[in-house]
Each structure stands twice: as structure tokens, then as C-alpha cells.
């Protein structure tokens, strides 16, 4: 039976005994072995009573089995909902409730904390640990190695990825089989991936970058991945000689450059380095070329759209730009007030349209209507301009968003928590420059009259409910927040005042 994504990424490798994954312990997993594991998992999940269209939430460490869970969901027509492993149970419960997930796959060590929440939301729980053990794989072990692929057309949903919102409530971006497949095919072609590629994969697999860009591309061409559990500069340096290509967020590149062992000899054979998810400083681009002779290829994407633009493979990869719209993607710069297209050179909001653009936010028609126009253009919330040579520059954001090490953080979510704390009158959260993470979180607190809020207790409260990467790196107390004549908090003033805070962190 036809299944758009499964047939084109997974099913076509049936019987292929060539390696798909190289693991840190030196072991390999073949395409055929991987598909067998995926089929067993698909059988196990359907035996739990899940049906096509149901959501499967996965908060699991990166492992071959975790990747096979993605393949299993695609094959069984289930909607895959990967979640950052850093999310707390509080955060998780929102995603489960909002998505109506029928199954949560989590690490065994978290079952005690997650099970009561799951029960309250009528979701089943299965475990999958970092070493591939757990109840999911136990249930899968007795299942057949083949599974009758469920038919799925191009408009059927394949995944929900939650992106935080400016109001503090996350939105489930609905991605179809066609959204994912069309983007993969364009990127394979644009970046010249072939079955000879060995991609060094050190990204997490719960986001677009590591899952839909990196993994789908390699699956599409039948290449190999060096599948590392996380980014560790020494480990990456040890494996680079065996790779042909690498994808990373800017922090990967700045950390490599900080390591004296990282030199040109190590990577002379490499074909391609790609960066995205956050702005790559032009100075990093230049330093990388000086050290290695390679020009990093920077591209621009989003959870809702996958990849939108890319610097050219053959032409000039221009530092500080994200290149041109990808084939099939229309991009325009518009006036945020009128929606009218602006002439080249002028700064406005970036809008995109194409087969890559998602179908909307799950059960949030107003939010969908506010960002996805009826004519199919998606308002990205990024501000940019097109230069005289057609290169697209991202110059800022029209949305209150912090990007730390490639993770998105919406200040509103943190402000809501800070505002609730004893002795706090109000707060503002801003992103300030950070040498390692690009930006980091600074919380500014205004106490109630004659109060002295307990900053340690506030940080403790943040730990309870927010993922580690969202915690303010520092809290400062001010008598009042800077406001404009309309009474709106001037976050730009705070960003400017505190821009040196972590300059040498
Ligand atoms: C980890 N920490 C972070 C963090 N990552 N804090 C802020 N920002 C981050 N990104 C926490 C850790 O929990 C730790 O807490 C402390 O900060 C320092 O940890 P570390 O050891 O230095 O971090 P590390 O584990 O090495 O992780 C850093 C990283 C990782 C940059 C390697 O965050 C990463 O892999 N980021 C990639 C994110 C990504 O894939 N984004 C793509 C989104 S898709 P403690 O308690 O020890 O202090 C997208 C669309 C597109 O945006 O265009 O691609
Ligand atoms: P996410 O919601 O995690 O998918 O993050 C998407 C956001 O990351 C975009 O809206 C941009 O603000 C940012 N982003 C992605 N790639 C780049 C890039 N190359 N340069 C600057 N910002 C980027």
C-alpha cells in the first residue's frame, strides 16, 4: 500500500544490508536491521490499540531505537510527536493534553513522575531508555519483523512539532507527508547528497534540524550517519575523519573553533558543512574558512516550514546571509502593517509559501489564521531584506523570541512564571549575547513595594516547571522597567543595557 513518506524514505531500503548508522562504540546498524526494528515497534504499538491518526509522544534519549520509533510511526500511519528531553513533567503534560496523545514513550527513570499525569490524560506509557532497553523494546522483541504498511497520502499528517508561542502557550505545528518529503527531495538535490555521503550527526532528533533535515536526507539517498548521542567537541573531532558532511547549529562551529585540535588536516576531505537554526556570526564563518579552507553553507528554516532558503552549493556562500529561496519556495518581504510586498533592500517581515509550509496549528484556528494567510503565505515572524544580489539577510525578529544554542525560548512563558513569585510585581525576560549559546536568558524583576524577592527561591521555582535551557542565566532586580510613552516595555533598552553581561562568560 502506498505511504508517501514511508515508501520514499524507508521502505525502498528493504533487504539492503549496507550500513545506515555508525555508532560511537564502533558498531553499525544496517538499513535492513533498522527497518526490522521499526516494523517490530509498529507491531508493538498497534498491539496496544493505537490506530492510524493517533498521536505518539516520544520524550526519549537519542538512540537507534528512538529513530526506529519515528520510522514505526510513519509506517503505521501514526502521528509522531517528538519532545525535547529537557522538558519537565509540567511542560510535558501540556503537550499530551493538547495533542491528545494516546501513547507516551519516555525514559524508564521518568515513569514514576510521568505515569500519574498520563493516567489522568488517558494516555498509555511505554519506556525506551538511552541504551535501547525498556518496555517498548521488550514488547517489540516478540513481534514480527514485517508490518503491513498503512496507506498514507501526501496530505496526511506525519508529525506534530510543538513550537512555543508569544502568548506562552505552545502550538502543535501539523506537518504532512508531503511537507516533509518535498523538502527532503529539494535539499538532497540542492546540497548534492548521494549514497556515498557519511553525515556526522550530533544534533538532537526531537527537532526539525536533526530529524527532518539531517535524517530524512540521508534516508532518501541511502547514505550513512555517524550517530552520536549529543554534540561533544572531542567526540566530533575523533569522528570527523570518517565523515563527508556535517550539519550543526552555530554553537557546534564556535565550540569546534575553540578546540586547538580542530584543524584543516582533520577536515580537508570533507564535502560540506551546513549551519542553521540560529544566526551564524559572519566572524565565525570567516574564522572557520581561515582554519579549514571550508566555507560553511548557511541555510534558514523553521519548525512550521522546514527549510526555506539556502546559500548556494556552487556559487558564493555569503557570510551573514541565508542565501536564496529554495526551489519551489516563494519568499517575499512585506510591510508588517499593510502586508504589502516591499522593494528589495527594505527591511520587512519574511513570508514564505510552498509545499514545505505546514497545515496549521493543531486545534488553534485563530493562531493559524493569524500567521498563515489564506493565499498560503506563512508569516515567519523573522525580519529580513533582500540585497542587490538577491541574497536574503535575516536582520531581526518581529516576535519576542530568544534562540539559545539553537533552542527557541519564548520570554512570555518565563515572565508568567516570574510574575507569580512572591514579592514580584512584574518582570521582563530578554535575550542577551552569549559567546557559547549565541543568546542567553536574562530575567529582570521589579519587586512589589517594600519587598525583596528571594532570587534563589525564584530560580528553584523555575527549575520545577521549566526545562533547564529556559532558566534565566541571571536574575537582576530593577526599580522599574523602561517603558515607552504607550506604556510598552522597551525590551530593546534592556537588551542594550545588559548586552555586555555575558561577554566573557
Ligand atoms: C543545554 N543547555 C542549554 C542548552 N543546551 N542551555 C541553554 N541553551 C541550550 N541550547 C544546558 C544544559 O542542560 C546544561 O545545564 C548547561 O546548559 C550547559 O550544558 P552544555 O553541556 O554546555 O550543553 P550541551 O549539552 O553541550 O548542549 C549544547 C548544544 C545543544 C548547543 C550542543 O543545546 C544542542 O545540541 N543544540 C541544538 C539544538 C537544535 O537542534 N536546534 C534545532 C531546532 S530546529 P547545567 O545544568 O549542566 O548547567 C530549528 C529549525 C531550523 O530551529 O532552522 O533548523
Ligand atoms: P524553530 O521554531 O525552532 O523552528 O526556529 C525557527 C527560527 O530559527 C526562525 O524563525 C529563525 O528566527 C531562526 N533561524 C533558523 N535558521 C536561521 C538562520 N540561519 N539565521 C538566523 N535565524 C535562523
Amino acid at each position: 500500500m502506498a505511504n508517501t513518506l514511508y515508501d520514499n524514505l524507508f521502505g525502498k531500503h528493504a533487504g539492503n544490508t549496507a550500513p545506515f548508522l555508525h555508532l560511537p562504540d564502533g558498531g553499525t546498524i544496517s538499513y535492513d536491521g533498522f527497518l526490522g526494528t521499526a516494523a517490530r515497534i509498529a507491531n508493538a504499538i498497534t498491539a496496544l490499540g493505537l490506530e492510524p491518526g493517533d498521536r505518539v509522544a516520544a520524550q526519549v534519549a537519542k538512540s537507534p531505537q528512538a529513530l526506529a520509533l519515528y520510522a514505526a510511526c510513519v509506517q503505521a500511519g501514526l502521528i509522531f510527536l517528538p519532545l525535547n528531553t529537557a522538558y519537565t513533567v509540567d511542560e510535558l503534560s501540556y503537550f499530551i493534553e493538547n495533542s491528545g496523545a494516546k501513547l507516551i514513550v519516555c525514559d524508564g527513570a521518568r515513569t514514576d513522575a510521568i505515569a500519574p499525569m498520563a493516567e489522568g490524560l488517558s494516555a498509555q506509557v511505554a519506556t525506551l531508555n538511552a541504551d535501547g532497553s525498556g518496555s517498548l523494546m521488550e514488547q517489540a522483541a516478540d513481534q514480527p519483523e514485517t508490518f503491513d504498511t498503512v496507506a498514507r497520502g501526501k496530505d496526511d499528517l506525519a508529525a506534530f512539532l510543538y513550537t512555543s508561542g508569544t502568548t506562552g502557550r505552545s502550538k502543535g505545528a501539523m506537518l504532512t507527508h508531503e511537507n516533509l518529503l518535498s523538502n527532503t527531495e529539494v535539499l538532497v538535490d540542492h546540497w548534492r547528497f548521494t549514497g556515498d555521503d557519511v553525515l556526522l550527526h550530533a544534533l538532537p532528533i526531537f527537532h526539525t534540524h536533526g530529524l527532518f533535515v539531517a535524517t530524512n536526507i540521508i534516508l532518501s539517498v541511502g547514505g550513512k550517519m555517524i550517530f552520536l548521542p549529543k554534540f561533544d567537541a572531542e567526540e566530533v573531532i575523533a569522528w570527523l575523519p570518517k565523515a563527508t558532511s556535517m550539519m550543526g547549529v552555530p554553537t557546534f562551529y564556535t565550540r569546534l573553533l575553540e578546540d586547538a585540535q580542530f584543524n584543516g588536516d582533520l577536515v580537508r576531505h570533507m564535502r560540506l558543512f551546513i549551519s542553521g537554526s540560529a544566526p551564524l556570526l559572519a566572524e565565525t564563518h570567516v574564522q572557520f574558512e581561515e582554519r579549514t579552507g571550508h566555507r560553511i553553507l548557511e541555510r534558514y528554516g523553521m519548525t512550521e516550514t522546514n527549510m526555506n532558503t539556502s546559500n548556494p552549493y556552487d556559487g558564493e556562500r555569503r557570510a551573514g546571509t541565508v542565501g536564496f529561496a529554495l526551489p519551489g519556495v516563494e519568499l517575499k518581504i512585506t510591510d508588517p502593517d499593510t502586508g504589502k510586498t516591499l522593494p528589495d533592500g527594505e527591511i520587512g517581515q519574511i513570508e514564505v509559501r510552498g509545499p514545505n509550509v505546514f497545515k496549521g496549528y493543531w486545534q488553534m484556528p485563530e493562531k493559524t489564521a493569524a500567521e498563515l494567510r489564506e493565499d498560503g503565505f506563512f508569516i515567519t515572524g523573522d525580519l529580513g531584506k533582500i540585497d542587490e544580489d538577491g541574497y536574503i539577510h535575516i536582520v531581526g525578529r518581529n516576535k519576542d523570541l530568544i534562540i539559545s544554542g539553537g533552542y527557541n525560548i519564548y520570554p512570555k512563558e518565563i515572565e508568567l512564571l516570574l510574575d507569580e513569585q512572591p514579592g514580584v510585581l512584574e518582570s521582563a525576560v530578554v535575550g542577551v549575547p552569549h559567546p557559547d549559546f549565541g543568546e542567553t536568558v536574562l530575567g529582570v524583576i521589579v519587586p512589589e513595594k517594600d519587598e525583596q524577592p528571594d532570587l534563589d527561591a525564584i530560580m528553584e521555582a523555575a527549575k520545577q516547571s521549566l526545562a533547564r535551557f529556559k532558566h534565566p542565566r541571571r536574575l537582576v532586580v530593577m526599580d522599574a522597567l523602561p517603558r515607552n510613552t504607550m506604556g510598552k516595555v522597551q525590551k530593546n533598552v534592556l537588551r542594550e543595557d545588559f548586552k555586555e553581561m555575558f561577554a566573557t562568560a
Side-chain angles (χ1 to χ4, degrees):
M1 276 231 185
N3 176 314
T4 307
L5 206 53
Y6 188 81
D7 298 347
N8 287 288
L9 297 187
F10 302 101
K12 67 181 183 186
H13 300 299
N16 181 354
T17 52
F20 167 40
L21 301 178
H22 288 283
L23 304 176
D25 65 4
T28 56
I29 292 179
S30 69
Y31 270 96
D32 205 42
F34 177 80
L35 293 183
T37 304
R40 285 182 199 276
I41 298 175
N43 281 307
I45 296 181
T46 29
L48 293 173
L50 273 81
E51 290 177 357
D54 283 345
R55 273 75 66 201
V56 174
Q59 189 190 36
V60 290
K62 183 176 175 184
S63 69
Q65 292 79 6
L67 200 59
L69 175 59
Y70 161 53
C73 288
V74 176
Q75 188 172 20
L78 297 158
I79 298 174
F80 187 56
L81 197 173
L83 293 163
N84 193 323
T85 44
Y87 288 144
T88 63
V89 176
D90 275 6
E91 289 167 321
L92 207 62
S93 70
Y94 170 78
F95 300 121
I96 305 306
E97 183 169 13
N98 184 265
S99 67
K102 292 264 173 60
L103 174 67
I104 308 172
V105 185
C106 67
D107 192 287
R110 308 247 299 154
T111 332
D112 285 351
I114 288 174
M117 174 270 285
E119 200 183 332
L121 296 171
S122 306
Q124 301 184 62
V125 177
T127 61
L128 176 58
N129 305 320
D131 63 1
S133 62
S135 69
L136 181 72
M137 298 315 293
E138 281 161 23
Q139 286 154 19
D142 301 332
Q143 298 289 340
E145 258 192 354
T146 55
F147 178 86
D148 280 338
T149 303
V150 172
R152 292 278 105 174
K154 60 190 180 65
D155 287 331
D156 283 316
L157 296 177
F160 283 3
L161 287 193
Y162 275 80
T163 77
S164 308
T166 39
T167 56
R169 281 189 72 210
S170 289
K171 304 164 286 185
M174 300 187 284
L175 295 156
T176 64
H177 282 239
E178 188 193 21
N179 290 153
L180 301 180
L181 185 64
S182 64
N183 208 238
T184 301
E185 288 173 343
V186 166
L187 295 175
V188 162
D189 200 42
H190 208 70
W191 295 339
R192 313 274 169 86
F193 273 89
T194 70
D196 293 333
D197 264 293
V198 182
L199 180 83
L200 197 151
H201 193 301
L203 287 158
I205 54 168
F206 44 70
H207 278 312
T208 301
H209 197 162
L211 189 62
F212 299 142
V213 184
T215 305
N216 284 0
I217 285 180
I218 290 301
L219 283 162
S220 172
V221 296
K224 303 173 192 61
M225 291 199 283
I226 297 170
F227 204 59
L228 302 179
K230 60 171 285 204
F231 181 87
D232 174 275
E234 269 193 34
E235 189 79 349
V236 166
I237 286 170
W239 280 98
L240 272 171
K242 296 202 160 56
T244 62
S245 45
M246 186 179 103
M247 293 181 192
V249 296
T251 302
F252 284 21
Y253 294 105
T254 51
R255 286 190 182 181
L256 284 174
L257 285 168
E258 267 165 27
D259 198 310
Q261 295 176 69
F262 181 69
N263 60 47
D265 290 342
L266 203 66
V267 295
R268 195 142 295 133
H269 68 287
M270 290 278 286
R271 185 177 75 76
L272 186 59
F273 287 95
I274 299 176
S275 177
S277 307
L280 183 77
L281 293 178
E283 99 197 22
T284 311
H285 188 105
V286 171
Q287 280 173 11
F288 198 87
E289 186 175 11
E290 281 169 4
R291 179 90 68 93
T292 66
H294 286 281
R295 286 179 83 85
I296 298 172
L297 186 155
E298 186 172 6
R299 67 18 169 219
Y300 158 61
M302 290 185 77
T303 298
E304 290 92 332
T305 62
N306 279 21
M307 298 304 100
N308 293 315
T309 78
S310 171
N311 267 282
Y313 188 83
D314 286 327
E316 185 197 351
R317 298 176 193 169
R318 198 172 280 186
T321 82
V322 292
F324 309 97
L326 284 163
V329 178
E330 293 170 77
L331 182 145
K332 60 184 184 180
I333 307 288
T334 63
D335 181 319
D337 296 324
T338 63
K340 293 229 167 71
T341 302
L342 293 168
D344 284 0
E346 285 193 27
I347 294 172
Q349 62 187 7
I350 300 177
E351 298 193 27
V352 293
R353 178 166 73 180
N356 54 318
V357 174
F358 75 139
K359 285 291 161 285
Y361 297 114
W362 171 248
Q363 290 184 338
M364 291 188 181
E366 302 84 21
K367 289 198 193 304
T368 302
E371 294 176 39
L372 192 55
R373 294 187 193 279
E374 269 177 16
D375 64 5
F377 271 98
F378 175 63
I379 306 166
T380 61
D382 291 309
L383 296 173
K385 66 169 187 182
I386 301 177
D387 72 18
E388 60 283 4
D389 298 322
Y391 283 82
I392 297 154
H393 299 236
I394 298 180
V395 299
R397 298 176 202 132
N398 207 14
K399 51 191 173 190
D400 195 12
L401 166 70
I402 300 168
I403 305 185
S404 165
Y407 288 153
N408 284 10
I409 301 163
Y410 276 84
K412 189 75 189 169
E413 189 183 1
I414 306 165
E415 287 161 1
L416 288 173
L417 179 123
L418 297 180
D419 291 349
E420 275 175 9
Q421 303 309 310
V424 175
L425 177 68
E426 60 173 352
S427 65
V429 167
V430 291
V432 287
H434 188 275
D436 186 30
F437 290 126
E439 281 181 294
T440 197
V441 180
L442 172 72
V444 180
I445 282 177
V446 178
E448 280 169 0
K449 194 163 180 300
D450 301 329
E451 292 281 348
Q452 281 188 318
D454 179 345
L455 299 188
D456 291 339
I458 293 179
M459 287 304 286
E460 201 44 48
K463 274 188 200 149
Q464 283 300 313
S465 53
L466 298 175
R468 171 76 184 94
F469 66 91
K470 298 178 191 169
H471 298 175
R473 202 152 284 261
R474 204 165 298 170
L475 289 173
V476 296
V477 176
M478 286 176 81
D479 291 339
L481 296 174
R483 290 182 185 277
N484 64 15
T485 48
M486 307 289 286
K488 194 171 178 311
V489 177
Q490 292 171 302
K491 290 201 167 178
N492 53 335
V493 173
L494 293 174
R495 278 191 286 266
E496 182 61 27
D497 287 353
F498 294 107
K499 70 176 184 210
E500 302 289 344
M501 187 166 240
F502 299 98
T504 54

